[in-house]
Amino acid sequence: MNRRQLLEFGSASLLAAPFVDLLRPTSSFAQARGKAKRLAILFSPNGTIPHRWQPTGSGRNYSFGDGSILEPLQGLEQDLLVLGGMDFNTGNNHEGGMRNMLTCGGDISIDQVIADHIGGAARFGSLELSAQTSAWGGSNQTRMCYRDGGFITPDDDPIHAWTRLFGEVGDAATQARRQSVLDLASDELKALHKRLGKAQQAQLDTHLEGLRTVERSLFGGGDCESPVAPGVDDPQNNDAFPAVADAQIDLAVQALACGVTPVVTVQLSHTVSPVVCRWVNATSGHHELSHADDGNTGSVQSFVDCEQWFAGQFRRLWEGLDAAVDPETGRPLLDDTVVLWVKELGDSRAHVCESVPWVLAGRGAGFELGRFLDVNGATHDRVLTYVAQAFGLSLGSFGTGTQGPLEVLG
């Protein structure tokens, strides 16, 4: 059962189940440990300019230089694993990169594999959010999540997404159904309490207080009870793109924190993106800027400005997950979350899926963070195999890859 089912449909015996065995000589209660609990993936389009993206230094002695694409991540160096030299195992150019970025040539994307493994009891096994991915319809250029060879359409309207997630919150009938299970079962819990010894009573009290904390996080206070609807009137308007991106990232964090889903993807536009980043004074579309040669210094700088803004969106996601608290543990969500910032191309001007720039974060996968790691041509199927194994999956490979996990990540 997930937390929501436990709180809505539980009874005193279920609530106190971990302590029933305390009435016997030994306890059979066990809890899985050391496995990632959540996955968050952020996508930004159109590759990069390698020499403007690459950090200075190497290994643990690296930094994000002033003026570089990753400058907005300054101060997070010790919390990230920045990958250099990673090639895709299959796919090339815009469409091939987009189609194979999370599938590695297979029929299902890594987010869906993990959702099938950990998301069955959640209200949403996975949640796909996006910004301005509807205008060109559904195709290999505009979609990154797949099941059975078919794409999954992300929700690029934050108000619609918010309504799906939290629209019923505040409804009187719903709140009545969500009356505290702990209060409803108080007589039974008191009777059980009397049957336990002092040490066991203290353990039960601690357990029930933990459940009370979960209840408060889901129904009794904070963002889960009173989420604020995004203020985006026209999500398809080019100039609303920053507001849509902010809202979708915040909803992603909120959904993970409230236990609505354990897997969330946020897709900021799509490959060949026409978005014009006017909020950083760009005057041409992002895709057009991504192909400017070094001699066109004005367009190159505009592209860097846009890419720095995307880097800032990754920072927003990271900071949101670091600030949000897991109601079950009292620790930051990052402690049990795997975070990926992915792209579909390496050097955008060459249209290649070589040296594709990915940034990994979160403490849930066992990554050895605080490094700029040159993986020297290792393929991305090995990275995603490692991620899958962090969730307890026994995959030896992913997609069309056959090489196993990239152990150097940990």
Side-chain angles (χ1 to χ4, degrees):
M1 299 185 74
N2 67 3
R3 296 196 306 272
R4 187 175 297 276
Q5 290 170 318
L6 176 66
L7 291 168
E8 290 184 342
F9 305 114
S11 66
S13 58
L14 182 58
L15 291 167
F19 295 88
V20 171
D21 282 338
L22 292 174
L23 299 171
R24 308 187 184 107
T26 59
S27 173
S28 61
F29 176 64
Q31 183 177 5
R33 300 179 186 275
K35 294 181 180 178
K37 294 166 54 177
R38 304 174 190 85
L39 174 67
I41 301 177
L42 178 73
F43 165 80
S44 64
N46 294 327
T48 192
I49 300 174
H51 71 274
R52 297 296 298 270
W53 177 88
Q54 183 168 318
T56 59
S58 62
R60 292 195 171 278
N61 184 25
Y62 83 102
S63 61
F64 304 125
D66 293 344
S68 71
I69 286 173
L70 298 183
E71 179 184 355
L73 303 184
Q74 287 179 350
L76 297 184
E77 287 88 348
Q78 298 310 305
D79 297 294
L80 306 177
L81 178 55
V82 182
L83 300 186
M86 184 193 74
D87 300 340
F88 280 10
N89 72 313
T90 187
N92 216 7
N93 212 324
H94 285 286
E95 186 169 312
M98 195 75 186
R99 174 61 177 83
N100 294 292
M101 178 175 62
L102 297 182
T103 64
C104 300
D107 291 334
I108 186 169
S109 51
I110 192 65
D111 56 296
Q112 295 304 299
V113 171
I114 293 171
D116 285 346
H117 184 62
I118 66 172
R123 184 176 164 205
F124 295 95
S126 64
L127 181 65
E128 294 76 38
L129 304 174
S130 66
Q132 296 184 11
T133 54
S134 297
W136 291 10
S139 71
N140 288 344
Q141 283 195 342
T142 62
R143 304 293 184 248
M144 69 179 192
C145 300
Y146 286 81
R147 292 190 69 88
D148 302 320
F151 57 75
I152 299 173
T153 299
D155 193 335
D156 64 359
D157 182 343
I159 294 178
H160 181 262
W162 179 89
T163 301
R164 289 170 58 209
L165 294 171
F166 303 113
E168 68 174 13
V169 174
D171 175 80
T174 299
Q175 291 299 322
R177 291 196 304 271
R178 289 175 173 174
Q179 183 180 351
S180 170
V181 172
L182 295 178
D183 293 338
L184 290 172
S186 61
D187 290 342
E188 295 175 68
L189 289 169
K190 288 176 183 177
L192 176 61
H193 196 275
K194 291 178 180 179
R195 297 172 60 194
L196 299 173
K198 289 185 178 180
Q200 296 163 346
Q201 287 176 343
Q203 287 181 274
L204 178 58
D205 289 341
T206 300
H207 173 66
L208 295 178
E209 180 54 35
L211 289 177
R212 182 74 75 180
T213 299
V214 175
E215 281 195 330
R216 285 194 296 265
S217 72
L218 291 175
F219 313 131
D223 290 341
C224 296
E225 182 195 19
S226 305
V228 178
V232 182
D233 295 328
D234 184 1
Q236 302 306 321
N237 184 302
N238 180 90
D239 293 343
F241 193 88
V244 174
D246 286 354
Q248 299 290 51
I249 289 171
D250 293 348
L251 280 174
V253 172
Q254 207 170 18
L256 292 172
C258 296
V260 176
T261 184
V263 175
V264 65
T265 58
V266 181
Q267 181 183 331
L268 301 183
S269 194
H270 50 77
T271 197
V272 197
S273 172
V275 171
V276 181
C277 301
R278 282 195 276 263
W279 49 94
V280 292
N281 299 316
T283 57
S284 298
H286 188 264
H287 174 241
E288 178 182 346
L289 293 175
S290 74
H291 291 302
D293 59 43
D294 288 336
N296 190 345
T297 56
S299 292
V300 167
Q301 186 56 52
S302 285
F303 182 64
V304 170
D305 293 341
C306 296
E307 289 300 283
Q308 286 182 331
W309 180 82
F310 281 115
Q313 297 307 109
F314 175 72
R315 182 167 193 138
R316 184 185 187 94
L317 175 62
W318 186 96
E319 290 180 342
L321 292 169
D322 191 45
V325 175
D326 183 334
E328 293 179 343
T329 66
R331 300 193 304 267
L333 291 187
L334 271 178
D335 282 6
D336 301 303
T337 301
V338 180
V339 188
L340 308 179
W341 175 19
V342 299
K343 281 181 168 288
E344 85 288 25
L345 286 174
D347 189 333
S348 52
R349 296 165 295 185
H351 290 98
V352 294
C353 297
E354 301 170 1
S355 291
V356 181
W358 282 17
V359 179
L360 316 180
R363 295 179 279 274
F367 294 139
E368 184 182 339
L369 301 173
R371 294 184 294 162
F372 170 40
L373 179 63
D374 186 347
V375 300
N376 195 30
T379 50
H380 79 309
D381 58 296
R382 301 186 64 194
V383 175
L384 296 183
T385 301
Y386 183 102
V387 169
Q389 291 185 0
F391 287 88
L393 283 154
S394 58
L395 295 182
S397 63
F398 177 65
T400 59
T402 59
Q403 301 182 68
L406 187 60
E407 299 290 357
V408 72
L409 300 178

